[in-house]
Amino acid sequence: MYVKVISDDSEIKEFCYEPLKSGNIYKATFENKYYTRVFFSYDDEEYDIVVHIRHLRELNLDEIRDLKLKNLGI
């Protein structure tokens, strides 16, 4: 699944999710009813962070398809 960060950067910093950026899209997995595990890269290292779902919006299939086509350069 892919998620988009919908909270602004100051709110992300306040909740200590700082490596994430507002408006960016990340790969994620379902953690539980209220949290999602978000994967990101920092200095060429892979990390993950558990984020409350109120800060995220899950992308629908059309948005995921568009993202993958954009990454391919199409």
Side-chain angles (χ1 to χ4, degrees):
M1 118 169 109
Y2 287 89
V3 295
K4 182 174 186 175
V5 178
I6 57 173
S7 295
D8 61 16
D9 286 332
S10 63
E11 190 172 5
I12 294 296
K13 185 176 182 177
E14 179 182 332
F15 285 93
C16 298
Y17 301 140
E18 219 166 353
L20 305 180
K21 298 291 181 194
S22 178
N24 285 4
I25 297 172
Y26 300 94
K27 193 167 190 154
T29 59
F30 178 78
E31 187 70 20
N32 62 36
K33 185 176 179 180
Y34 300 106
Y35 291 93
T36 299
R37 184 172 300 275
V38 178
F39 300 95
F40 63 96
S41 294
Y42 186 77
D43 289 337
D44 296 327
E45 294 288 327
E46 294 292 323
Y47 298 97
D48 62 81
I49 188 170
V50 178
V51 179
H52 194 276
I53 59 172
R54 76 182 190 106
H55 300 287
L56 306 170
R57 181 180 64 82
E58 185 176 351
L59 271 59
N60 63 36
L61 291 176
D62 290 333
E63 292 171 317
I64 293 170
R65 184 196 71 227
D66 293 343
L67 174 67
K68 289 181 177 183
L69 288 173
K70 180 182 172 188
N71 289 342
L72 289 174
I74 298 175

